[in-house]
Amino acid sequence: MSDRYTATRTSLRTAGIMIVFTLAFTAMMSQMYRTTRPAIEASEQEQKMRLINDVLPPGSYDNTLLEDFVAAGPTPELGLDRGGRIYRARRAGVPAALVFEAAAPDGYGGKIQLVVAVGADGRLGGVRVTAHKETPGLGDYIDPRKDRNKTQPWIGQFAGMSFAEVAPVQWKVKRDGGIFAYRIGATISARAVTNATGRVLEYAAEHRDALFAASTGSAI
Protein backbone atom coordinates (compact mmCIF):
# COMPACT_ATOMS: atom_id res chain seq x y z
CA MET A 1 0.00 0.00 0.00
CA SER A 2 2.80 2.34 0.94
CA ASP A 3 4.66 1.60 -2.29
CA ARG A 4 1.52 2.27 -4.31
CA TYR A 5 0.96 5.56 -2.48
CA THR A 6 4.56 6.59 -3.07
CA ALA A 7 4.33 5.71 -6.76
CA THR A 8 1.13 7.73 -7.13
CA ARG A 9 2.71 10.75 -5.46
CA THR A 10 5.75 10.45 -7.69
CA SER A 11 3.58 10.25 -10.82
CA LEU A 12 1.54 13.28 -9.76
CA ARG A 13 4.70 15.24 -8.97
CA THR A 14 6.19 14.34 -12.34
CA ALA A 15 2.97 15.30 -14.14
CA GLY A 16 2.88 18.59 -12.26
CA ILE A 17 6.47 19.37 -13.19
CA MET A 18 5.75 18.59 -16.84
CA ILE A 19 2.69 20.85 -16.84
CA VAL A 20 4.65 23.72 -15.29
CA PHE A 21 7.48 23.17 -17.77
CA THR A 22 5.08 23.08 -20.70
CA LEU A 23 3.34 26.29 -19.59
CA ALA A 24 6.66 28.04 -19.02
CA PHE A 25 8.02 26.89 -22.39
CA THR A 26 4.83 27.99 -24.19
CA ALA A 27 4.96 31.40 -22.49
CA MET A 28 8.63 31.78 -23.41
CA MET A 29 8.02 30.86 -27.08
CA SER A 30 5.02 33.18 -27.25
CA GLN A 31 7.10 36.05 -25.89
CA MET A 32 9.92 35.23 -28.31
CA TYR A 33 7.47 35.24 -31.23
CA ARG A 34 6.04 38.61 -30.18
CA THR A 35 9.56 39.99 -29.84
CA THR A 36 10.90 38.71 -33.16
CA ARG A 37 7.74 39.08 -35.23
CA PRO A 38 8.31 42.76 -36.20
CA ALA A 39 11.85 41.97 -37.36
CA ILE A 40 10.65 38.95 -39.37
CA GLU A 41 7.87 40.96 -41.00
CA ALA A 42 10.27 43.80 -41.79
CA SER A 43 12.67 41.32 -43.40
CA GLU A 44 9.86 39.80 -45.48
CA GLN A 45 8.75 43.26 -46.62
CA GLU A 46 12.31 44.20 -47.53
CA GLN A 47 12.76 41.01 -49.54
CA LYS A 48 9.47 41.59 -51.35
CA MET A 49 10.45 45.16 -52.21
CA ARG A 50 13.79 44.00 -53.61
CA LEU A 51 11.95 41.71 -55.99
CA ILE A 52 9.52 44.44 -56.98
CA ASN A 53 12.37 46.88 -57.56
CA ASP A 54 13.81 44.38 -60.06
CA VAL A 55 10.70 44.66 -62.23
CA LEU A 56 9.57 48.22 -61.48
CA PRO A 57 11.97 51.17 -61.07
CA PRO A 58 11.42 52.80 -57.63
CA GLY A 59 11.36 56.24 -59.23
CA SER A 60 8.35 55.35 -61.37
CA TYR A 61 5.89 55.63 -58.47
CA ASP A 62 5.55 57.55 -55.20
CA ASN A 63 2.89 55.68 -53.22
CA THR A 64 3.52 53.10 -50.50
CA LEU A 65 3.31 50.17 -52.87
CA LEU A 66 2.94 47.27 -50.43
CA GLU A 67 -0.01 48.99 -48.78
CA ASP A 68 -1.84 49.66 -52.04
CA PHE A 69 -3.10 46.30 -53.25
CA VAL A 70 -6.12 44.20 -54.08
CA ALA A 71 -6.47 40.57 -53.02
CA ALA A 72 -7.08 38.19 -55.90
CA GLY A 73 -8.88 34.95 -55.16
CA PRO A 74 -8.12 31.80 -57.14
CA THR A 75 -7.36 33.16 -60.60
CA PRO A 76 -6.48 30.60 -63.31
CA GLU A 77 -5.42 33.35 -65.72
CA LEU A 78 -2.63 34.28 -63.30
CA GLY A 79 -1.88 30.69 -62.32
CA LEU A 80 -3.10 31.36 -58.77
CA ASP A 81 -4.76 28.37 -57.13
CA ARG A 82 -5.04 30.02 -53.73
CA GLY A 83 -5.08 33.64 -54.72
CA GLY A 84 -2.45 36.34 -54.34
CA ARG A 85 -1.93 40.07 -54.34
CA ILE A 86 -1.88 42.65 -57.09
CA TYR A 87 -0.06 45.83 -56.11
CA ARG A 88 -0.93 49.22 -57.61
CA ALA A 89 1.86 51.71 -58.34
CA ARG A 90 0.81 55.34 -58.64
CA ARG A 91 2.62 58.60 -59.23
CA ALA A 92 0.94 61.77 -57.99
CA GLY A 93 -2.24 59.71 -57.73
CA VAL A 94 -2.13 58.64 -61.37
CA PRO A 95 -1.94 54.90 -62.20
CA ALA A 96 1.61 53.94 -63.11
CA ALA A 97 1.79 50.15 -63.04
CA LEU A 98 0.39 46.91 -61.68
CA VAL A 99 2.61 44.33 -60.01
CA PHE A 100 1.20 40.80 -60.09
CA GLU A 101 1.94 37.76 -58.01
CA ALA A 102 1.52 35.00 -60.60
CA ALA A 103 2.63 31.49 -61.48
CA ALA A 104 3.38 29.24 -64.42
CA PRO A 105 1.78 25.89 -63.50
CA ASP A 106 3.58 23.85 -66.13
CA GLY A 107 7.28 24.14 -65.46
CA TYR A 108 9.45 21.05 -65.91
CA GLY A 109 9.77 20.68 -62.14
CA GLY A 110 6.29 21.95 -61.32
CA LYS A 111 4.91 25.39 -60.56
CA ILE A 112 7.12 28.43 -61.20
CA GLN A 113 6.26 31.42 -59.00
CA LEU A 114 6.55 34.84 -60.64
CA VAL A 115 6.29 38.54 -60.00
CA VAL A 116 5.33 40.54 -63.09
CA ALA A 117 5.07 44.31 -63.50
CA VAL A 118 2.84 45.79 -66.20
CA GLY A 119 2.88 49.53 -66.83
CA ALA A 120 -0.27 51.57 -67.25
CA ASP A 121 0.69 51.80 -70.93
CA GLY A 122 0.47 48.01 -71.25
CA ARG A 123 4.20 47.40 -71.38
CA LEU A 124 5.98 44.88 -69.21
CA GLY A 125 8.24 46.48 -66.66
CA GLY A 126 9.90 43.16 -66.02
CA VAL A 127 9.49 39.57 -64.88
CA ARG A 128 11.23 37.71 -62.07
CA VAL A 129 11.05 34.14 -60.83
CA THR A 130 10.52 33.99 -57.08
CA ALA A 131 10.44 30.21 -56.59
CA HIS A 132 10.90 27.14 -58.80
CA LYS A 133 12.11 23.54 -58.93
CA GLU A 134 13.62 23.55 -62.41
CA THR A 135 16.69 21.41 -63.11
CA PRO A 136 19.87 23.04 -61.75
CA GLY A 137 22.27 23.99 -64.51
CA LEU A 138 19.67 23.39 -67.20
CA GLY A 139 16.22 24.92 -66.76
CA ASP A 140 17.05 27.21 -63.87
CA TYR A 141 18.35 29.90 -66.25
CA ILE A 142 14.84 31.38 -65.99
CA ASP A 143 16.10 32.81 -62.68
CA PRO A 144 18.64 35.56 -63.45
CA ARG A 145 20.54 34.66 -60.28
CA LYS A 146 21.26 31.25 -61.83
CA ASP A 147 21.59 32.37 -65.46
CA ARG A 148 25.21 32.13 -66.56
CA ASN A 149 24.71 35.02 -68.97
CA LYS A 150 24.92 37.86 -66.47
CA THR A 151 25.10 40.64 -69.07
CA GLN A 152 21.93 39.57 -70.89
CA PRO A 153 19.93 37.17 -68.72
CA TRP A 154 17.24 35.25 -70.55
CA ILE A 155 14.36 36.72 -68.57
CA GLY A 156 15.39 40.28 -69.44
CA GLN A 157 13.97 39.93 -72.96
CA PHE A 158 10.43 40.58 -71.67
CA ALA A 159 11.11 44.06 -70.28
CA GLY A 160 9.47 46.77 -72.35
CA MET A 161 7.49 44.34 -74.49
CA SER A 162 3.75 44.63 -75.07
CA PHE A 163 1.04 43.35 -77.39
CA ALA A 164 1.68 46.45 -79.51
CA GLU A 165 5.01 44.91 -80.59
CA VAL A 166 4.15 41.25 -80.22
CA ALA A 167 0.69 39.94 -81.11
CA PRO A 168 -0.77 37.51 -78.54
CA VAL A 169 -0.57 34.70 -81.09
CA GLN A 170 3.20 35.23 -81.28
CA TRP A 171 3.73 35.46 -77.52
CA LYS A 172 5.53 32.12 -77.48
CA VAL A 173 9.05 30.78 -77.58
CA LYS A 174 10.55 30.50 -81.05
CA ARG A 175 10.26 26.74 -81.08
CA ASP A 176 6.47 27.12 -80.87
CA GLY A 177 6.34 29.73 -83.63
CA GLY A 178 6.73 32.77 -81.39
CA ILE A 179 9.44 35.39 -81.04
CA PHE A 180 11.00 34.72 -77.64
CA ALA A 181 14.34 33.00 -77.23
CA TYR A 182 14.91 29.85 -75.25
CA ARG A 183 17.87 27.66 -74.38
CA ILE A 184 18.28 24.33 -76.16
CA GLY A 185 17.63 21.43 -73.83
CA ALA A 186 15.37 23.40 -71.51
CA THR A 187 12.44 24.49 -73.63
CA ILE A 188 9.75 23.56 -71.12
CA SER A 189 10.96 26.02 -68.49
CA ALA A 190 11.15 28.91 -70.98
CA ARG A 191 7.80 27.98 -72.52
CA ALA A 192 6.08 27.97 -69.12
CA VAL A 193 7.39 31.41 -68.11
CA THR A 194 6.76 32.93 -71.54
CA ASN A 195 3.18 31.72 -71.73
CA ALA A 196 2.44 32.75 -68.14
CA THR A 197 3.83 36.22 -68.81
CA GLY A 198 1.54 36.59 -71.82
CA ARG A 199 -1.47 35.58 -69.73
CA VAL A 200 -0.60 38.18 -67.09
CA LEU A 201 -0.26 40.85 -69.77
CA GLU A 202 -3.65 39.90 -71.21
CA TYR A 203 -5.27 39.91 -67.75
CA ALA A 204 -3.80 43.35 -67.02
CA ALA A 205 -5.19 44.76 -70.27
CA GLU A 206 -8.68 43.41 -69.56
CA HIS A 207 -8.89 44.38 -65.88
CA ARG A 208 -6.62 47.43 -65.56
CA ASP A 209 -9.29 50.04 -64.83
CA ALA A 210 -11.18 47.84 -62.36
CA LEU A 211 -7.99 46.94 -60.52
CA PHE A 212 -6.96 50.55 -60.03
CA ALA A 213 -10.49 51.57 -59.01
CA ALA A 214 -10.96 48.85 -56.37
CA SER A 215 -10.68 49.78 -52.72
CA THR A 216 -7.33 49.09 -51.09
CA GLY A 217 -7.20 45.60 -49.63
CA SER A 218 -10.48 44.58 -51.23
CA ALA A 219 -11.01 41.15 -52.74
CA ILE A 220 -11.63 40.77 -56.44
Side-chain angles (χ1 to χ4, degrees):
M1 192 72 171
S2 177
D3 290 344
R4 183 180 298 174
Y5 177 73
T6 300
T8 300
R9 286 189 61 187
T10 300
S11 296
L12 290 173
R13 187 182 301 116
T14 302
I17 292 172
M18 290 301 296
I19 291 172
V20 171
F21 176 78
T22 300
L23 290 174
F25 180 76
T26 301
M28 181 182 70
M29 293 302 294
S30 178
Q31 178 61 34
M32 185 180 296
Y33 174 74
R34 287 195 296 269
T35 302
T36 59
R37 182 179 178 182
I40 293 172
E41 290 180 345
S43 177
E44 289 175 347
Q45 296 287 77
E46 183 180 348
Q47 183 178 7
K48 186 169 289 187
M49 280 308 305
R50 281 200 299 268
L51 281 169
I52 291 175
N53 289 342
D54 282 344
V55 298
L56 186 67
S60 64
Y61 61 94
D62 57 14
N63 62 320
T64 305
L65 190 64
L66 295 185
E67 296 179 6
D68 192 348
F69 68 90
V70 291
T75 311
E77 302 97 311
L78 301 177
L80 301 176
D81 296 330
R82 300 181 179 179
R85 290 188 173 185
I86 302 170
Y87 299 96
R88 287 101 52 100
R90 308 174 196 266
R91 188 171 181 82
V94 178
L98 294 165
V99 180
F100 294 85
E101 292 179 348
D106 49 354
Y108 184 80
K111 183 171 291 188
I112 300 170
Q113 303 288 348
L114 305 167
V115 60
V116 183
V118 181
D121 60 357
R123 294 183 182 278
L124 282 170
V127 183
R128 285 295 182 275
V129 172
T130 61
H132 70 89
K133 296 180 181 178
E134 301 305 279
T135 307
L138 193 60
D140 63 350
Y141 68 85
I142 58 174
D143 183 347
R145 295 170 298 181
K146 304 293 180 65
D147 195 333
R148 295 173 185 173
N149 188 342
K150 300 301 181 183
T151 56
Q152 290 184 311
W154 174 84
I155 207 162
Q157 66 184 313
F158 297 107
M161 302 298 284
S162 73
F163 287 147
E165 289 81 24
V166 184
V169 70
Q170 289 185 301
W171 199 279
K172 306 173 185 177
V173 293
K174 291 180 179 179
R175 182 169 181 173
D176 297 338
I179 64 104
F180 293 103
Y182 65 96
R183 305 274 171 83
I184 295 175
T187 311
I188 294 175
S189 305
R191 177 185 292 126
V193 173
T194 299
N195 292 347
T197 301
R199 289 192 294 270
V200 172
L201 197 58
E202 187 173 359
Y203 185 89
E206 292 177 0
H207 301 278
R208 173 188 175 279
D209 293 342
L211 290 171
F212 275 112
S215 300
T216 298
S218 62
I220 59 169

